[in-house]
Amino acid sequence: MTVALHICAGLPWQPANRCWAAVRLWRKVTTWSAVGAAFNSNPVRRLDLLQRHVGLFGVPELSSTEGFERVQRRALLEAEQLVAKACRTAPGASTVEVFDKLSDTLCRVADLADFIKVAHPDPEYREAGEKTCIKIGTAVEKLNTNVELCRSLKNLLDNQEVMDQLDPETRRVAELFMFDFEISGIHLDEEQRKEAVDLNVKLLDLNNQFLMGCHMPNRIDGRALPTHIHHHFTSEGNYLQIGGLHADSPDDVVREVAYRIFLYPNRDLMDILDQLLSCRNKLARLVGYESYAHRALRGTMAKNPDNVMNFLQLLTDKLKDRTEKDFKMMKDMKCKLNPRNPDLMPWDHSYLSGVIRAERFNIEPSLYSPYFSLGSCMDGLNALFTQLYGVSLLAEQPSAGEVWSEDVLSDLLFLIRPQAVVHETEGLLGYIYCDFFIRPDKPHQDCHFTVRGGRMQDDGRYQLPVVALMLSLPRPGRDAPTLLTPAMMENLFHEMGHAMHSMLGRTRYQHVTGTRCATDFAEVPSILMEYFATDYRVISQFARDYQTGQPLPQSMVTRLCESKKVCGAADTQLQVFYAALDQAYHGKPQSRSTTDILIDLQQKYYGLPCVPNTAWHLRFSHLVGYGAKYYSYLMSRAVASMVWRQCFQKDPLNRDTGERYRREMLAHGGGREPMQMVEDMLQKKPSMEDFVDALVSEMDPDFESIIMDSEN
């Protein structure tokens, strides 16, 4: 017996019958575990006319779009009651507990709706999710300027005697709630507070408009383009739609055309971006910060914009010679492939670096894919988690109506698969919903979503976390399971790193559960998983040819790892440019256009020329979700590299190290200062120079592995 998930406020967890399915396996004899077999098979659901629909994620109301309004209304009513309770609660730990329950009540609805608005195949569900997000978001902004509610928290923070009696996590959560009040302008007069709320509400709309515009295709009269490249783009009458950069196309003309047309400036979108950046700056200045970047970076590992730019400049300086060599290699390769047009341009970077890697190391993805069936990769993850943490994944069959898509192709059914995460002594830790297969209208991005955060409940039971992982993997065929390229396999490990961060955390408060931590720390657990995904001692446990059972040769893993270092400096420098641009846009306003800023920084931090009449920044969707924090990926990678080298590289399957990693980093979510967790794990305080050196050293060849490969 398993459980259906009831997420909305006040509903208990109740048992639900699972309707198990017959499965079709491709191999007659298999060594796959249950979780591996579940992903290397096509379930065929048995018809069960008596099975009731439990609603999305087990929320009965969400059996229809109208249910969003009911769930939303109930959450807002409960929030009102909790606000009243918070205002009459005496200063103490109970104050923080009520605040966290208030946060949880709203987040459980908003987080679920945020996922549904992206993932659900039905436009009506997506629209209902979007409306719910806006309604709850608006309510949160108003709560963040509620003076009486803030006063109840301030009474606690000002009472030093009571604060000294609180445990460190409770004190930190109280301070984080106060920070939310402060950045929303609680200290302002009534008129200014209203202005802050209005700015936040306006930002919600501008963010959505910019995100929509980022992904909108551009179109051009087909007669303007050579006929031999028309088939690369989508036809729409006499027009061709260009919806992406086609960066990996071997045709120079296709890459150039896609780059110039997809990035052609859109005046309306330019105005939206200008308004968005202006609105963010006004809000930051209104609540007392020098810039939006200063506001966004408070509480992060980097602390402030000066430290971020110092990090980026140090990295640029140390990469300078390597980056120049990388661009020379690309230029030489372009001369070799297309001597009539040898100039190296921005649309060449991705393709040419890939060509050089393939030529040097023979890393054609199709050579690797037979060893990386989805089931075997899930087996590998299961084995790794068991060895490091004593945790197992148990595949479950969803109840009717519990998941958001059941794709049927002929007689084959593609299900969203819930995974119960079970610890050998602690029991059930939570659930991971795996939405892995590509489908029409599904975003082509790999994402982790928190659907419900973990927290200690009033009755002493722990509210189990629920997350969803969304990938864009190919569907299995009739004669073969889903086969992953090395990049897909690494992405799977990356996203499962986020999921296990959520599962293994056991914070008292959901406000700091799992990935609800500083952005420049949140990517550390996921990036660390990429190191496991490229270590032969880990890969050898699961990488088997799905037909013959033969293991992936170690030499192929060595070539794959070494190939990533080719053009690594240029790839990293491109990320530095993006991060510097993000900082410039969110720093103090400049008397220049966003395009002029881009042209200047592209020359300073990248090197390849900016193409006239293009506006790459209008496709920079990360400006919304990672405003002033795009550097986070680089800093998280530096920390992950240091943790890997110092703690796991010698023995990546060591249980003691895994337990220490969970204890020092994963268990706390955002409940401790991020840099303190890093210091405790590394047993030293790293500097910006240490971070930079960690990134640069990754580009050095592993001569020992290369020698072993040549000997084999």
Side-chain angles (χ1 to χ4, degrees):
M1 180 175 292
T2 57
V3 295
L5 308 182
H6 296 282
I7 295 173
C8 53
L11 288 176
W13 285 55
Q14 300 173 354
N17 294 323
R18 302 282 194 195
C19 179
W20 288 96
V23 298
R24 172 180 291 152
L25 293 174
W26 284 277
R27 288 172 58 192
K28 294 180 180 178
V29 179
T30 179
T31 56
W32 293 323
S33 68
V35 68
F39 283 92
N40 269 3
S41 64
N42 277 320
V44 182
R45 186 186 292 281
R46 295 184 184 129
L47 186 63
D48 187 349
L49 298 176
L50 299 179
Q51 189 178 21
R52 70 181 180 87
H53 279 231
V54 300
L56 292 170
F57 292 104
V59 181
E61 289 85 350
L62 299 188
S63 296
S64 67
T65 55
E66 292 77 13
F68 278 95
E69 179 66 31
R70 294 194 294 274
V71 171
Q72 172 196 126
R73 191 164 53 244
R74 183 169 59 237
L76 292 174
L77 178 61
E78 184 176 348
E80 285 183 18
Q81 296 168 348
L82 287 168
V83 168
K85 183 176 180 180
C87 292
R88 64 174 183 267
T89 299
S94 56
T95 304
V96 183
E97 290 166 2
V98 175
F99 267 79
D100 190 66
K101 191 172 183 180
L102 171 60
S103 174
D104 181 56
T105 297
L106 297 173
C107 284
R108 279 187 294 176
V109 177
D111 290 341
L112 187 154
D114 185 56
F115 174 69
I116 293 301
K117 77 175 186 182
V118 173
H120 206 288
D122 187 335
E124 292 186 3
Y125 270 90
R126 294 199 298 268
E127 183 180 0
E130 175 69 26
K131 289 180 178 178
T132 298
C133 286
I134 293 173
K135 190 72 176 285
I136 297 294
T138 301
V140 169
E141 295 302 337
K142 290 180 179 178
L143 287 175
N144 284 339
T145 54
N146 185 314
V147 175
E148 188 178 359
L149 183 63
C150 177
R151 186 178 299 117
S152 68
L153 184 63
K154 192 173 188 304
N155 289 339
L156 168 63
L157 292 168
D158 289 345
N159 192 325
Q160 194 58 50
E161 182 180 352
V162 174
M163 286 293 289
D164 289 342
Q165 297 172 6
L166 301 179
D167 63 89
E169 184 181 335
T170 300
R171 287 199 300 271
R172 176 167 171 80
V173 171
E175 291 165 355
L176 289 173
F177 277 124
M178 181 54 73
F179 174 57
D180 289 339
F181 281 118
E182 290 173 352
I183 64 174
S184 296
I186 194 68
H187 53 288
L188 305 175
D189 61 37
E190 185 174 353
E191 184 177 342
Q192 290 175 316
R193 285 199 304 274
K194 183 180 182 303
E195 183 182 358
V197 171
D198 291 343
L199 284 170
N200 275 305
V201 171
K202 184 179 180 182
L203 275 171
L204 287 174
D205 185 48
L206 289 170
N207 287 341
N208 286 330
Q209 289 184 55
F210 186 71
L211 281 176
M212 288 180 61
C214 280
H215 301 295
M216 287 291 290
N218 279 339
R219 66 176 195 164
I220 188 171
D221 192 318
R223 292 170 295 184
L225 301 181
T227 56
H228 74 277
I229 68 169
H230 283 200
H231 67 281
H232 291 280
F233 310 115
T234 302
S235 295
E236 190 181 68
N238 293 328
Y239 289 87
L240 294 174
Q241 277 196 355
I242 288 79
L245 292 174
H246 294 255
D248 295 319
S249 172
D251 191 321
D252 287 5
V253 176
V254 170
R255 294 198 308 276
E256 179 177 355
V257 163
Y259 191 94
R260 290 184 181 277
I261 296 175
F262 185 63
L263 299 184
Y264 192 79
N266 180 307
R267 186 68 259 171
D268 291 338
L269 195 56
M270 195 85 74
D271 290 341
I272 290 170
L273 177 59
D274 288 342
Q275 290 181 57
L276 190 156
L277 296 177
S278 174
C279 200
R280 284 179 170 176
N281 181 65
K282 285 180 183 176
L283 181 61
R285 295 295 298 272
L286 182 65
V287 299
Y289 289 89
E290 289 182 49
S291 69
Y292 183 83
H294 285 84
R295 175 182 183 265
L297 294 174
R298 179 173 163 179
T300 63
M301 289 195 292
K303 303 294 186 186
N304 59 61
D306 288 343
N307 287 339
V308 173
M309 292 309 299
N310 180 39
F311 169 63
L312 297 177
Q313 189 60 56
L314 280 172
L315 188 52
T316 297
D317 293 342
K318 289 217 171 185
L319 288 178
K320 185 175 185 296
D321 292 343
R322 295 173 188 248
T323 302
E324 289 175 355
K325 289 178 181 178
D326 286 353
F327 283 140
K328 184 179 185 306
M329 278 197 301
M330 293 183 206
K331 184 174 177 61
D332 291 345
M333 178 57 72
K334 189 167 185 183
C335 287
K336 176 181 173 182
L337 297 177
N338 188 358
R340 293 182 178 179
N341 186 18
D343 291 337
L344 187 64
M345 299 299 290
W347 54 77
D348 297 319
H349 182 147
S350 177
Y351 172 69
L352 292 179
S353 60
V355 170
I356 296 170
R357 292 186 188 104
E359 185 179 82
R360 288 193 179 186
F361 293 99
N362 189 25
I363 52 164
E364 169 57 43
S366 62
L367 298 176
Y368 289 83
S369 292
Y371 298 95
F372 294 143
S373 68
L374 177 56
S376 69
C377 292
M378 292 300 294
D379 253 354
L381 285 162
N382 191 40
L384 178 62
F385 296 150
T386 300
Q387 289 164 293
L388 288 180
Y389 314 119
V391 164
S392 298
L393 304 175
L394 300 180
E396 297 194 346
Q397 188 76 7
S399 297
E402 182 181 348
V403 298
W404 45 97
S405 178
E406 294 183 2
D407 295 342
V408 179
L409 180 62
S410 184
D411 63 331
L412 303 183
L413 185 66
F414 302 90
L415 295 176
I416 314 299
R417 302 176 189 271
Q419 303 290 307
V421 182
V422 181
H423 191 274
E424 58 192 22
T425 59
E426 298 171 33
L428 183 62
L429 297 182
Y431 284 89
I432 304 171
Y433 281 76
C434 299
D435 183 358
F436 284 171
F437 299 120
I438 194 169
R439 61 176 177 269
D441 296 327
K442 181 181 178 182
H444 288 259
Q445 56 188 25
D446 298 338
C447 301
H448 162 275
F449 292 84
T450 296
V451 177
R452 180 175 67 183
R455 64 183 287 268
M456 188 60 68
Q457 300 178 107
D458 294 341
D459 60 6
R461 293 185 300 166
Y462 198 78
Q463 176 173 286
L464 299 180
V466 179
V467 303
L469 296 187
M470 192 163 66
L471 305 179
S472 298
L473 301 180
R475 303 174 186 230
R478 295 189 173 281
D479 301 318
T482 291
L483 302 178
L484 278 59
T485 65
M488 291 176 183
M489 183 269 287
E490 287 183 38
N491 285 346
L492 171 62
F493 272 63
H494 179 102
E495 298 304 332
M496 285 298 289
H498 284 308
M500 294 308 293
H501 194 183
S502 296
M503 295 297 109
L504 293 172
R506 275 302 178 264
T507 54
R508 182 176 176 181
Y509 304 101
Q510 73 82 37
H511 194 63
V512 291
T513 185
T515 57
R516 286 178 180 157
C517 56
T519 307
D520 53 7
F521 180 82
E523 290 293 330
V524 173
S526 53
I527 294 174
L528 183 63
M529 283 296 293
E530 296 176 22
Y531 291 89
F532 288 99
T534 53
D535 188 286
Y536 187 71
R537 291 163 293 182
V538 176
I539 293 177
S540 62
Q541 294 192 120
F542 68 88
R544 299 281 190 277
D545 187 289
Y546 77 98
Q547 291 177 309
T548 67
Q550 290 298 308
L552 177 66
Q554 184 171 357
S555 60
M556 291 180 67
V557 178
T558 300
R559 293 202 306 270
L560 184 64
C561 292
E562 290 304 306
S563 73
K564 293 180 180 179
K565 300 173 183 179
V566 175
C567 299
D571 293 344
T572 301
Q573 195 59 53
L574 181 59
Q575 295 302 312
V576 170
F577 160 53
Y578 295 161
L581 184 67
D582 176 42
Q583 287 298 305
Y585 284 168
H586 291 101
K588 296 177 181 178
Q590 303 182 34
S591 57
R592 299 187 293 170
S593 71
T594 52
T595 302
D596 288 339
I597 294 171
L598 180 143
I599 292 170
D600 180 39
L601 293 182
Q602 183 163 336
Q603 180 62 39
K604 182 176 181 180
Y605 287 104
Y606 185 33
L608 295 187
C610 187
V611 180
N613 292 318
T614 64
W616 178 87
H617 53 302
L618 298 184
R619 300 295 185 176
F620 194 11
S621 60
H622 286 92
L623 287 173
V624 172
Y626 287 82
K629 297 179 182 179
Y630 190 82
Y631 77 93
S632 295
Y633 185 81
L634 287 169
M635 190 165 284
S636 289
R637 177 163 289 283
V639 173
S641 175
M642 297 170 76
V643 171
W644 171 259
R645 287 171 180 263
Q646 184 170 317
C647 305
F648 287 104
Q649 189 172 45
K650 185 177 180 180
D651 182 2
L653 304 174
N654 185 279
R655 178 65 177 271
D656 290 339
T657 307
E659 292 289 359
R660 189 167 82 85
Y661 173 54
R662 180 188 181 188
R663 185 172 62 252
E664 301 290 4
M665 295 184 80
L666 296 180
H668 304 291
R672 293 183 67 194
E673 284 284 346
M675 189 60 82
Q676 187 62 54
M677 289 188 279
V678 174
E679 291 177 21
D680 290 346
M681 190 68 198
L682 298 176
Q683 298 181 331
K684 75 166 192 174
K685 183 175 183 177
S687 65
M688 287 296 172
E689 289 81 1
D690 292 328
F691 289 155
V692 168
D693 289 342
L695 290 172
V696 174
S697 65
E698 293 217 319
M699 301 170 199
D700 295 329
D702 185 348
F703 292 109
E704 183 178 343
S705 296
I706 294 172
I707 292 170
M708 290 176 60
D709 183 20
S710 63
E711 290 176 349
N712 292 331

